[in-house]
Amino acid sequence: MGVRIEHTEEENYKKLDEIIDRYKDQEGMLIRILQKAQDVFGYLPREVQSYISERLNIPISTINGVVSFYSLFSQEPRGKYTIGVCMGTACYVKGAQEVLDAIKDELQIDVGDTTMDRLFTLKATRCIGACGLAPVITINDEVYGRLTPSDVPSILYKYIKTNKKSQLDRQG
Amino acid sequence: MEKYHILVCAGTGCTSSKSDAVRERLHKEIKKRNLSDKVKVFKTGCFGFCKLGPIVVVHPDRTFYIKVEAKDVDEILDSHIGKGQVVERLLYKSVNNDEVQKTIDEIDFFNHQMRIALRNCGVINPEDIKEYIAMGGYNNLANILTNKTPPTDIIEELKKSGLRGRGGGGFLTGQKWEYAYNYEGNKKFVLCNADEGDPGAFMDRSILEGDPHSVIEAMIIAGYCIGAHQGYVYVRAEYPIAVDRLEIAIDQAKKAGLLGQNIFGSGFDFDLDIRLGAGAFVCGEETALIQSVMGMRGEPRPRPPFPAEVGLWEKPTLNNNVETFANIPVILEKGADWFASIGTENSKGTKVFALAGQINNTGLIEVPMGTTLRTIIYDIGGGIHDNKQFKAAQTGGPSGGCIPADYLDIKIDFDTLADIGSMMGSGGMIIMDESDCMVDIARFYLEFAQDESCGKCVPCRVGTRRILEILKKITKGKGEMEDLKILEDLCYDIKDSSLCGLGQSAPNPVLSTLQYFKDEYIKHIKDKECPAGVCNDLLKVVISDEKCVACGICARVCPVNAITGENKNPPFHIHQDVCIKCGACIPKCPVDAIYKR
């Protein structure tokens, strides 16, 4: 999932129109349209669902029924990186709460939220079984252990830097 | 003609262990050293030995290199290609006797195997239709279409071969084709089920990644037989490499005139399309899959009518699994009698298994039906990890059951597995040893089934949740003996009354563990103990008085300061009322004195 702050909403809806026009005359293409729409918007907010509903003349209840059925679809915006803070007992007593607070403070978001720039989504996860490294966080598939609140900024900065670099590269 | 061909695996497993970098480096170095007329590098599908990836095989001498990294490329080119000396350190060492096994033909893992569905995986480049054609691919299709072979002859041949559905149901494929052929319809469809949702199964993925054309060819033949002009392959979106290769293969087949209008000038039209699954386990059930292909919620409906009569858009639809299709070109090429000579009386041919769990050689294997579990585990799989005691093999994923050690010598086929309360299923085979708790395994599968239940029918939606609650209670040491009776009754009720295969088979892991490992359940309930040391609520972390050297490391890593003692004055002691059983101290102990029991 790339970050999509460089596109304006209008451009996204233009893309959505192209997607709908490409598939609307074929039967059974709703899931394909929703998948492509999610690629454009990053998730499927209610507005996008109702837009698709109007354009395809399918009741929004049907659209939402499909969106909520399949785990691939998300109705909440998601960040490029999902941070999972392990809240298992060992991590908790080793100070996971403090680490979580440090991340919340650093990113100015709450658990379950995503940063404004769609870079990070913060989640509190169940025990990931790495109690020996407690406290543990995961960022996408990367595991970081034995953390203290003071480690947080440098770890996050690494991802912010990578992202900035890729944005600059894209701008050429 | 190049002297050497270097094959680099590009399956999902090896790709995750960075085989792309190895391939790129090979290309670069070969160019740099001007070896292009001597050496050619190929990308292949899965060899099956995923645990030891990235895998590189050098032909003509068939040297099998394991765990190859980009930095090893120079050495392979210098010594193997340059001087004709194999790179010893990258060769496979047998886990059984530590001897070096140099070529693909010597390796234990590949002995006892017989590759029919996987015949081209790891042999050809899946992204080049010419390589498939060079292996005799599309030849059957050409013969059938140009000779106008009567469909009934082909269906008869399939029936005679005895091929049964490899998705897990084991229904006679020829019979299915016959039903779809007999039902009248102005439009018919062919479907390929590649929604491999079982945890621990990756057979279909490997076939699509390693040999997509064999599935495409079989689907075109199926279309010709039943009179369909459109086919769909329903693939999980979680298999990006498989989807890419399938798209490339369909594209190439269209350009070659093997898909589309008037194939081989015979007047027969057939087109193929991909539909992506969006992450719902129930969509592997054929009626749910059909709903999903039509872009709706994947909810099953009662059968009959079967899809062969009322399927996609209410038209007759033939639906087979990937592995079933992959067998068909070979059967038509070598004949039904040849195929029927392999396997057991009622289960013909081979079966692909995904071997995983507590076993030395994890990976993908294909063995004749009737191979014993012992052969699979000890001869092919190299035995149990850390020489532990084998406890059970779980087959058929969340719908299957487990096979205990008493049945190690059972000849595995559709019927024998059903007789002992397990099932063939799609082919996931998870090996478990003494460190696995069977109650916990049952809980794990029920958690999965409960999560994936589509919710349309009450027995499955509510029933699986109730089973899960009871299992959780037992693993927490709060179970009672009457729970076992309730569990059993619930299981049979859910099996009898659920709408589709998911619900009808969801209780199987519970029933099967109850049948063979009831003692473990009783230990959890009566003694409040978990013999395998898995269920955390029933465990104590203890320090062995004899082993402890009183170094104090454990006390320092303990997150809750539950460990006390005097340095250099053993033993240290864990206060059970404070200990949270996180196990942080266990790996830290230099003399392995701490364990869970």
Side-chain angles (χ1 to χ4, degrees):
Chain A
M1 302 301 295
V3 184
R4 290 175 192 73
I5 43 174
E6 62 268 27
H7 297 300
T8 59
E9 281 292 271
E10 208 173 312
E11 246 179 81
N12 284 341
Y13 276 100
K14 219 174 2 208
K15 278 191 184 155
L16 182 57
D17 277 329
E18 282 166 23
I19 293 165
I20 293 171
D21 291 337
R22 187 169 357 140
Y23 294 117
K24 73 174 191 312
D25 299 329
Q26 299 175 46
E27 271 186 301
M29 278 304 198
L30 177 59
I31 292 178
R32 178 70 61 93
I33 290 170
L34 290 169
Q35 279 169 343
K36 298 265 177 199
Q38 180 159 287
D39 286 345
V40 172
F41 289 86
Y43 70 116
L44 294 170
R46 186 187 294 198
E47 301 74 42
V48 172
Q49 290 180 44
S50 40
Y51 187 84
I52 294 173
S53 148
E54 271 168 38
R55 286 277 336 251
L56 295 176
N57 210 359
I58 297 175
I60 184 138
S61 57
T62 307
I63 305 256
N64 189 259
V66 172
V67 170
S68 60
F69 185 85
Y70 294 102
S71 61
L72 194 80
F73 299 125
S74 167
Q75 302 190 66
E76 296 291 325
R78 287 174 306 186
K80 185 173 179 179
Y81 305 110
T82 300
I83 306 172
V85 180
C86 178
M87 295 306 271
T89 325
C91 291
Y92 186 73
V93 293
K94 277 285 237 181
Q97 188 62 52
E98 284 86 358
V99 174
L100 184 66
D101 290 339
I103 298 172
K104 277 167 45 175
D105 189 52
E106 192 69 29
L107 299 175
Q108 290 294 306
I109 52 169
D110 213 334
V111 176
D113 290 352
T114 301
T115 51
M116 292 289 283
D117 59 3
R118 298 264 176 88
L119 195 56
F120 296 108
T121 298
L122 179 59
K123 285 190 168 160
T125 63
R126 294 195 187 88
C127 176
I128 60 164
C131 311
L133 302 174
V136 179
I137 66 169
T138 52
I139 299 187
N140 288 359
D141 301 327
E142 205 72 38
V143 181
Y144 298 87
R146 297 197 190 88
L147 296 176
T148 60
S150 58
D151 295 328
V152 167
S154 60
I155 293 174
L156 295 182
Y157 182 68
K158 204 169 75 179
Y159 287 90
I160 292 167
K161 200 168 138 188
T162 312
N163 183 58
K164 267 215 180 94
K165 198 171 168 303
S166 67
Q167 271 180 335
L168 288 172
D169 289 347
R170 262 206 303 269
Q171 288 163 6
Chain B
M1 187 66 197
E2 304 85 6
K3 189 173 165 205
Y4 287 106
H5 282 182
I6 301 181
L7 275 48
V8 184
C9 178
T12 292
C14 286
T15 304
S16 321
S17 49
K18 303 205 168 46
S19 67
D20 287 357
V22 176
R23 213 176 50 241
E24 277 160 28
R25 176 92 200 213
L26 272 166
H27 280 302
K28 208 169 104 190
E29 287 296 319
I30 286 167
K31 221 186 205 147
K32 205 166 111 187
R33 299 163 191 233
N34 295 325
L35 290 169
S36 300
D37 50 352
K38 198 175 163 189
V39 188
K40 198 163 177 201
V41 178
F42 294 89
K43 176 186 210 177
T44 69
C46 180
F47 286 91
F49 214 166
C50 312
K51 185 188 173 180
L52 300 172
I55 303 278
V56 171
V57 175
V58 182
H59 284 267
D61 43 301
R62 299 171 70 80
T63 306
F64 193 85
Y65 289 128
I66 58 167
K67 296 186 183 168
V68 181
E69 295 173 38
K71 63 176 171 40
D72 301 323
V73 164
D74 290 6
E75 198 174 346
I76 293 175
L77 292 178
D78 289 345
S79 94
H80 192 139
I81 308 295
K83 304 181 197 141
Q85 290 170 352
V86 294
V87 183
E88 285 279 339
R89 64 180 181 86
L90 296 173
L91 295 174
Y92 171 71
K93 265 206 194 89
S94 166
V95 282
N96 298 330
N97 52 14
D98 264 352
E99 68 173 48
V100 172
Q101 296 175 326
K102 207 172 94 181
T103 66
I104 197 164
D105 314 283
E106 292 167 45
I107 292 175
D108 312 323
F109 183 79
F110 294 104
N111 292 336
H112 309 282
Q113 288 200 46
M114 178 174 191
R115 297 189 153 218
I116 297 177
L118 299 175
R119 65 197 174 280
N120 293 330
C121 292
V123 177
I124 62 169
N125 177 354
E127 295 177 10
D128 187 350
I129 190 170
K130 291 205 260 336
E131 295 207 8
Y132 178 71
I133 291 171
M135 299 297 285
Y138 290 114
N139 207 358
N140 288 304
L141 180 69
N143 290 337
I144 288 167
L145 291 184
T146 46
N147 301 333
K148 300 266 190 289
T149 312
T152 42
D153 287 8
I154 301 168
I155 291 170
E156 221 30 67
E157 189 76 4
L158 272 189
K159 277 166 75 175
K160 215 166 70 182
S161 76
L163 174 69
R164 294 171 69 173
R166 296 291 192 253
F171 193 77
L172 262 178
T173 307
Q175 190 116 49
K176 208 184 230 185
W177 285 37
E178 191 170 48
Y179 287 150
Y181 169 80
N182 285 333
Y183 283 113
E184 293 296 321
N186 55 350
K187 242 186 172 179
K188 290 183 180 180
F189 295 100
V190 178
L191 262 183
C192 172
N193 183 349
D195 186 70
E196 191 174 43
D198 281 12
F202 48 91
M203 303 68 58
D204 298 351
R205 190 193 70 199
S206 299
I207 292 171
L208 289 176
E209 286 175 3
D211 190 17
H213 285 287
S214 66
V215 177
I216 295 173
E217 182 179 8
M219 287 183 77
I220 304 170
I221 294 170
Y224 168 80
C225 278
I226 68 163
H229 301 289
Q230 176 68 48
Y232 296 101
V233 186
Y234 185 86
V235 198
R236 307 177 68 203
E238 292 94 331
Y239 285 178
I241 299 180
V243 174
D244 279 356
R245 293 205 182 137
L246 195 59
E247 278 176 341
I248 292 169
I250 289 174
D251 245 16
Q252 290 178 339
K254 278 182 181 164
K255 285 200 178 83
L258 298 162
L259 277 174
Q261 306 287 315
N262 195 13
I263 303 170
F264 288 116
S266 63
F268 173 67
D269 310 332
F270 190 80
D271 219 333
L272 255 192
D273 227 338
I274 299 176
R275 286 287 190 274
L276 294 185
F281 177 65
V282 70
C283 288
E285 201 279 343
E286 59 180 3
T287 57
L289 187 146
I290 283 167
Q291 291 296 316
S292 190
V293 170
M294 296 192 292
M296 295 186 260
R297 283 168 74 95
E299 288 177 342
R301 60 158 179 80
R303 296 179 309 179
F306 284 90
E309 185 183 358
V310 180
L312 264 178
W313 291 288
E314 316 281 299
K315 307 288 185 213
T317 301
L318 171 71
N319 169 40
N320 283 133
N321 162 275
V322 174
E323 194 188 327
T324 314
F325 276 129
N327 275 294
I328 286 167
V330 196
I331 294 173
L332 296 178
E333 178 193 342
K334 298 193 173 178
D337 294 336
W338 165 82
F339 190 81
S341 69
I342 305 159
T344 60
E345 193 187 345
N346 290 322
S347 301
K348 301 298 184 193
T350 55
K351 178 74 192 93
V352 182
F353 288 106
L355 204 53
Q358 318 281 14
I359 190 157
N360 281 314
N361 304 337
T362 53
L364 200 68
I365 61 166
E366 183 170 2
V367 289
M369 292 275 188
T371 303
T372 64
L373 198 54
R374 193 180 296 278
T375 303
I376 292 176
I377 295 173
Y378 292 96
D379 299 336
I380 299 173
I384 308 293
H385 198 60
D386 284 343
N387 283 328
K388 283 192 172 147
Q389 196 61 40
F390 167 80
K391 187 186 267 188
Q394 211 280 348
T395 60
S399 335
C402 51
I403 312 168
D406 299 351
Y407 293 108
L408 267 172
D409 292 308
I410 196 171
K411 289 182 180 310
I412 291 185
D413 69 16
F414 284 105
D415 308 322
T416 51
L417 285 181
D419 287 345
I420 59 170
S422 184
M423 69 182 270
M424 178 69 79
S426 54
M429 187 180 275
I430 317 274
I431 308 299
M432 296 169 198
D433 67 18
E434 56 200 290
S435 64
D436 290 299
C437 167
M438 300 319 278
V439 185
D440 185 64
I441 294 294
R443 183 204 54 79
F444 169 81
Y445 280 117
L446 259 291
E447 189 128 6
F448 182 86
Q450 192 266 133
D451 208 32
E452 291 291 350
S453 170
C454 79
K456 188 175 177 179
C457 74
V458 172
C460 174
R461 184 181 70 229
V462 183
T464 51
R465 176 163 284 260
R466 293 292 163 267
I467 293 183
L468 182 62
E469 282 166 1
I470 296 174
L471 289 174
K472 278 185 170 166
K473 212 169 92 177
I474 295 173
T475 56
K476 284 187 163 41
K478 295 184 176 130
E480 288 148 30
M481 283 309 280
E482 60 249 35
D483 283 337
L484 297 183
K485 180 80 186 80
I486 298 170
L487 260 187
E488 216 160 320
D489 289 349
L490 254 178
C491 285
Y492 285 117
D493 290 346
I494 293 167
K495 273 175 90 77
D496 291 342
S497 55
S498 285
L499 168 65
C500 84
L502 191 153
Q504 286 157 16
S505 62
N508 285 353
V510 183
L511 286 171
S512 146
T513 47
L514 270 174
Q515 184 181 354
Y516 298 115
F517 299 97
K518 199 161 193 167
D519 55 324
E520 287 197 27
Y521 280 88
I522 293 170
K523 265 220 168 324
H524 280 71
I525 295 169
K526 279 191 167 166
D527 308 342
K528 309 291 179 212
E529 268 177 31
C530 174
V534 173
C535 300
N536 225 14
D537 289 311
L538 302 175
L539 297 183
K540 287 189 185 131
V541 182
V542 288
I543 298 178
S544 152
D545 293 356
E546 292 79 51
K547 283 187 178 174
C548 176
V549 292
C551 64
I553 292 176
C554 54
R556 283 200 293 278
V557 295
C558 179
V560 289
N561 301 327
I563 308 180
T564 54
E566 199 183 323
N567 274 359
K568 294 187 183 163
N569 185 14
F572 268 51
H573 179 70
I574 301 180
H575 297 270
Q576 296 302 335
D577 48 345
V578 186
C579 171
I580 54 163
K581 303 168 192 172
C582 72
C585 51
I586 296 172
K588 288 287 175 220
C589 178
V591 290
D592 294 331
I594 311 178
Y595 56 97
K596 280 186 175 182
R597 66 154 193 228

